[in-house]
Amino acid sequence: MTIENSRWSQEFPKIGIRPTIDGRRKGIRESLEEQTMNMAKAVAALLSETLKYPNGAPIECVIADTCIGGVAEAAAAATKFAKSCVGVSITVTPCWCYGTETMDMDPSTPKAIWGFNGTERPGAVYLAAVLSGHAQKGIPAFGIYGQEVQDAGTTDIPHDVQEKLVRFAKAGLAVAQMKGKSYLSVGSVSMGIAGSIVNEELFQNYLGMRNEYVDMSELVRRIDEVIYDPAEYELAMSWVKENCVEGPDNNPASIQTSREKKDQDWETVVKMSLIVRDLMVGNPRLNELGFGEEALGHNAILSGFQGQRQWTDHFPNGDFMEAILNTSFDWNGKRAPYLVATENDSLNGVAMLFGHLLTNTAQIFADVRTYWSPDAVKRVTGHTLEGAAANGILHLINSGPAALDGTGEQSRDGQPVMKPHWEITDDEVEKCLEATSWRPASLEYFRGGGFSSDFLTRGGMPVTMSRINLVKGLGPVLQLAEGYTVDLPADVHKTLDDRTDSTWPTTWFAPILTGEGSFTDVYSVMDNWGSNHGAISYGHIGADLITLAAMLRIPVSMHNVAKDQIFRPRVWSNFGTSDPEGADYRACTNFGPLYK
């Protein structure tokens, strides 16, 4: 078994479809059986044709064996779902049903209800009644109600209903895929960064995840005792020599390391990549080599590497390891990223995980380094910012861990994108590699040496930057900013980039402004960002992130998503409709973490 096959050996969570019906026999129920079951089949077809798991396979839906007219059939559906690895439920109906008798009572499963908008039967009445029951019992559910009246018997799903079904399903599957997985902390706190103080309450109570810990000395042990696949190591080294171009050494000549030391660093960073991946997900090859315990891994869907400074003062830095694992390809070909948070910033890691599970794409990890105003750019370079950048830009830059997908060298319809791994072509892999150089690490930062990835993200990509922050007494909060990557003239980029560390990858980001609050101007976005890091995901996924956060009971403190795109459980409106942001905080506080 290959490592990729073993990585996906656990069953993915499925979506359970619950067709509910008026339980009255001798005419009413019988007349509705076919329409109700067809609604369930139509939803299952829509979701299976639209969404994919991280390995590229279509998502699977499980439909209850019968329509659900009362508590006995509800229990039978729950039993089937439990045996079928269902982690998300969607209830559908065209008619009145007995609300609390037919509802899904599992408090930890994300759930939505689509009540058919038709005049022949009161599906909308059931929707309102059962959502009231969910609110009264403290089990929030998402209500889906189409804007237009449909004719009885139609099998079409209106566009607005489709949009909500897909948004709910994406977020619900993200919740279900995190449950039971691990965050692997390799090392401890990096340079006093609060995000690398791993908060077990966040992972266990809000995300349903375990916390696993490994000292960085484990990498030394595995390197010294050759606890990795030697054959894969040789393959990886050959691939690196052929595809990873070493850039110029920016260190002063007096402290530059020798060619021999650089070659040794390459060997070490490749071994580090193999070892951290194996620590996360295991490797069946290790069992064949006599390392049965190490072959199992830590079932980690996400990890973090402390690096600085206890590691990097002596050993090569983790930049190559983080960059290549976060990327959608390596020496074994194209594959889903292995998410690794630099500096063990677990909070930014969670934002990366959210973005990846919602999009199946690689994530860019970066410092939210600098706000450049139009006046400051003009003063320093003589250039007038224009287009998406006209109001100013944020310089997103960090040492190494940004996925190579972040070069923007993948394309769709002639535009730069970041794709799920199964859509990436061999030519696009080559372009991402060609756009990246590996600079010898700045020895003032990284005394142990190593290499940092250096690239410039192409402009024109819609992206969303997000971050989880922890606030004492409040808990986790999510913030996000939708915007675009932007191109600058080469000389302007160089002038600005040279003012920081030009060995690191740069993304120029222009957030979309609303003229209000944190999005009054670009400065306000920077000024209100909650930490030094941000996770950048391809696409404008702010609405999906808001839905996901509501499922987990994490309030959103900052966003620039249009109000008509925000989709939360119906009970949120009971906490106030004139102040949606405040209602979100009150609802999350009231219901508490999903798994507590």
Side-chain angles (χ1 to χ4, degrees):
M1 179 183 289
T2 67
I3 189 168
E4 280 301 297
N5 288 336
S6 67
R7 180 185 183 186
W8 308 118
S9 60
Q10 295 181 22
E11 191 172 3
F12 283 113
K14 300 179 178 66
I15 297 177
I17 312 295
R18 307 174 71 257
T20 57
I21 199 166
D22 190 325
R24 288 171 286 196
R25 305 273 181 168
K26 298 184 179 181
I28 295 178
R29 175 166 179 159
E30 291 83 353
S31 69
L32 293 164
E33 290 274 8
E34 183 176 2
Q35 181 185 3
T36 305
M37 190 58 75
N38 283 342
M39 282 183 68
K41 291 176 181 178
V43 170
L46 167 69
L47 299 179
S48 295
E49 292 166 3
T50 304
L51 301 177
K52 295 184 184 296
Y53 292 120
N55 67 346
I59 66 106
E60 296 183 43
C61 296
V62 177
I63 301 176
D65 290 333
T66 68
C67 290
I68 299 169
V71 67
E73 288 162 321
T79 299
K80 179 178 182 178
F81 289 177
K83 294 177 179 179
S84 304
C85 198
V86 166
V88 185
S89 84
I90 298 177
T91 299
V92 300
T93 189
C95 61
W96 168 255
C97 315
Y98 301 159
T100 58
E101 294 183 24
T102 60
M103 67 188 288
D104 177 359
M105 291 288 291
D106 185 344
S108 64
T109 300
K111 50 188 55 55
I113 303 154
W114 173 28
F116 186 84
N117 184 1
T119 56
E120 291 82 1
R121 299 284 185 179
V125 177
Y126 168 72
L127 176 64
V130 76
L131 288 173
S132 174
H134 277 281
Q136 189 167 329
K137 293 176 180 294
I139 309 174
F142 289 75
I144 301 174
Y145 178 58
Q147 293 192 34
E148 303 297 333
V149 173
Q150 292 184 263
D151 298 327
T154 182
T155 58
D156 295 336
I157 303 178
H159 178 75
D160 61 326
V161 173
Q162 288 187 33
E163 188 175 74
K164 288 183 176 179
L165 285 168
V166 170
R167 176 157 294 145
F168 168 81
K170 281 197 290 188
L173 284 171
V175 171
Q177 288 178 76
M178 287 186 284
K179 187 176 182 180
K181 296 295 195 304
S182 303
Y183 175 82
L184 175 62
S185 177
V186 183
S188 184
V189 179
S190 175
M191 301 184 297
I193 294 173
S196 59
I197 304 172
V198 179
N199 184 283
E200 293 203 348
E201 181 182 1
L202 166 65
F203 284 96
Q204 295 175 20
N205 293 352
Y206 286 89
L207 309 182
M209 292 173 59
R210 292 175 178 267
N211 292 95
E212 293 284 295
Y213 302 89
V214 175
D215 191 87
M216 290 184 291
S217 63
E218 177 65 4
L219 274 69
V220 180
R221 183 181 80 91
R222 294 198 183 201
I223 290 173
D224 289 349
E225 299 183 20
V226 194
I227 307 177
Y228 53 85
D229 182 353
E232 186 183 2
Y233 167 68
E234 294 299 329
L235 172 67
M237 282 302 303
S238 176
W239 183 87
V240 166
K241 289 176 181 178
E242 182 177 349
N243 294 283
C244 297
V245 178
E246 189 175 308
D249 191 336
N250 283 19
N251 290 290
S254 61
I255 64 170
Q256 289 183 10
T257 57
S258 66
R259 183 67 258 167
E260 180 182 14
K261 173 63 166 64
K262 289 184 172 71
D263 291 342
Q264 290 173 349
D265 285 356
W266 274 117
E267 294 175 1
T268 300
V269 299
V270 169
K271 291 173 185 176
M272 290 167 62
S273 304
L274 297 175
I275 290 167
V276 169
R277 181 205 61 194
D278 292 351
L279 281 166
M280 289 179 67
V281 302
N283 187 344
R285 177 68 179 135
L286 297 183
N287 189 49
E288 298 170 7
L289 296 171
F291 303 106
E293 181 181 358
E294 291 86 349
L296 297 175
H298 290 265
N299 195 34
I301 195 172
L302 172 68
S303 70
F305 180 68
Q306 176 193 334
Q308 299 183 74
R309 288 183 41 211
Q310 284 76 8
W311 181 269
T312 57
D313 276 6
H314 183 66
F315 295 104
N317 64 16
D319 288 5
F320 176 81
M321 172 195 72
E322 293 159 354
I324 203 65
L325 291 181
N326 280 321
T327 296
S328 299
F329 54 83
D330 61 15
W331 42 87
N332 290 318
K334 290 163 279 189
R335 44 84 179 142
Y338 296 90
L339 300 176
V340 184
T342 194
E343 293 159 354
N344 199 26
D345 185 349
S346 59
L347 300 182
N348 210 57
V350 170
M352 292 171 67
L353 179 59
F354 287 177
H356 172 64
L357 291 177
L358 291 171
T359 65
N360 288 322
T361 60
Q363 306 294 296
I364 301 173
F365 184 115
D367 270 1
V368 185
R369 178 61 64 96
T370 310
Y371 160 65
W372 279 99
S373 70
D375 289 343
V377 172
K378 182 75 170 178
R379 173 177 59 82
V380 171
T381 70
H383 175 71
T384 300
L385 294 175
E386 53 190 20
N391 295 303
I393 49 178
L394 300 183
H395 193 178
L396 309 180
I397 182 172
N398 205 320
S399 61
L404 272 60
D405 306 63
T407 58
E409 293 295 336
Q410 300 161 21
S411 64
R412 187 181 293 123
D413 299 325
Q415 298 299 312
V417 299
M418 295 169 64
K419 296 179 178 179
H421 74 274
W422 58 84
E423 293 184 17
I424 300 172
T425 67
D426 292 342
D427 182 58
E428 288 168 341
V429 169
E430 291 182 14
K431 288 181 177 179
C432 290
L433 289 164
E434 290 170 357
T436 306
S437 68
W438 299 91
R439 302 282 193 95
S442 172
L443 296 175
E444 293 177 350
Y445 283 109
F446 306 114
R447 298 172 187 173
F451 298 90
S452 297
S453 58
D454 178 34
F455 63 74
L456 174 61
T457 301
R458 291 180 61 190
M461 289 198 294
V463 294
T464 303
M465 182 169 73
S466 65
R467 166 80 187 181
I468 289 284
N469 297 299
L470 279 176
V471 180
K472 186 174 178 61
L474 175 62
V477 294
L478 173 71
Q479 58 183 172
L480 65 94
E482 294 183 340
Y484 292 90
T485 63
V486 297
D487 290 319
L488 298 179
D491 60 330
V492 175
H493 161 72
K494 187 176 187 309
T495 299
L496 301 182
D497 200 42
D498 284 348
R499 292 171 70 101
T500 175
D501 192 317
S502 60
T503 68
W504 297 346
T506 280
T507 302
W508 296 108
F509 174 61
I512 297 170
L513 302 178
T514 65
E516 299 177 351
S518 299
F519 294 91
T520 301
D521 48 38
V522 179
Y523 171 80
S524 298
V525 176
M526 178 76 180
D527 195 39
N528 284 282
W529 202 250
S531 185
N532 54 310
H533 292 149
I536 296 85
S537 184
Y538 177 78
H540 288 158
I541 64 166
D544 294 335
L545 284 167
I546 289 172
T547 294
L548 173 57
M551 289 180 180
L552 299 170
R553 322 287 163 72
I554 297 175
V556 180
S557 63
M558 170 180 167
H559 73 83
N560 55 350
V561 177
K563 291 182 180 179
D564 63 358
Q565 293 296 304
I566 295 175
F567 186 37
R568 290 180 169 122
R570 181 68 62 81
V571 69
W572 260 235
S573 64
N574 288 328
F575 293 86
T577 57
S578 62
D579 174 23
E581 186 173 284
D584 182 35
Y585 273 81
R586 292 187 288 274
C588 290
T589 299
N590 179 74
F591 291 111
L594 179 59
Y595 299 106
K596 187 173 181 180

